[in-house]
Amino acid sequence: MPFPPPQFLCGIANTLIVEERSYNVEAMNQEHQNLHSNLNTNQLEIYDAITDSVYNKRGNVFFVYGSGGCGKTFLWRTIIARLRSEMKIVLRLLQHQGLQLFCYQEVEQHIPGSRFH
Ligand SMILES: Nc1ncnc2c1ncn2[C@@H]1O[C@H](COP(=O)(O)OP(=O)(O)OP(=O)(O)O)[C@@H](O)[C@H]1O
């Protein structure tokens, strides 16, 4: 099967990156502050574990579960707002009946050399 030329694939990747970096950083920062200040103890514990993994490049995988309405989405929104307020890239890979899978990748400033893993 023919493979698209690399420059075409590079263009697609860059579109994704550009879209993910088009957020209003100030608005995201404000949203993060609002959400974070309302996190309950359990949410805060998970928030700290996930952000610790991100900022210390631990590469952990987290499976967050709980009954409907317990605040999982609220937690994700808080974490995502924090990362996007810092121009980091968060991709939602899957959402199915309470299961959400996110991929976070810090992309280097030099976009053409950057990769998703
Ligand atoms: N710490 C919080 N402070 C204020 N409101 C909260 C908090 N956590 C959750 N909520 C609110 O509670 C409601 C349910 O939360 P959320 O949608 O995050 O639950 P969920 O676990 O994702 O539910 P489901 O599994 O059904 O999708 C939402 O209106 C959300 O804004």
Side-chain angles (χ1 to χ4, degrees):
M1 188 169 158
F3 198 75
Q7 62 270 29
F8 179 73
L9 292 177
C10 184
I12 293 174
N14 286 353
T15 302
L16 266 179
I17 291 168
V18 168
E19 279 177 13
E20 277 298 315
R21 288 196 150 161
S22 63
Y23 290 100
N24 181 329
V25 169
E26 198 45 54
M28 279 291 148
N29 190 32
Q30 191 60 51
E31 182 175 339
H32 171 256
Q33 286 180 27
N34 292 340
L35 293 169
H36 185 267
S37 65
N38 283 307
L39 290 180
N40 64 33
T41 310
N42 287 339
Q43 289 168 324
L44 200 51
E45 193 177 326
I46 301 168
Y47 173 96
D48 286 343
I50 292 176
T51 53
D52 171 74
S53 178
V54 169
Y55 290 107
N56 292 301
K57 301 186 187 303
R58 299 190 202 286
N60 299 120
V61 175
F62 294 88
F63 181 71
V64 179
Y65 64 94
S67 56
C70 73
K72 301 180 292 294
T73 305
F74 194 93
L75 171 66
W76 289 131
R77 285 176 51 215
T78 311
I79 295 168
I80 289 170
R82 163 97 181 257
L83 297 174
R84 286 181 175 161
S85 76
E86 298 170 354
M87 298 288 281
K88 292 178 168 52
I89 292 174
V90 183
L91 298 179
R92 177 181 291 204
L93 300 181
L94 171 73
Q95 179 168 9
H96 177 66
Q97 294 182 342
L99 173 65
Q100 299 187 16
L101 179 60
F102 291 91
C103 174
Y104 156 80
Q105 175 66 49
E106 186 167 2
V107 177
E108 297 165 21
Q109 209 58 37
H110 177 58
I111 291 175
S114 302
R115 301 180 50 220
F116 287 97
H117 297 280

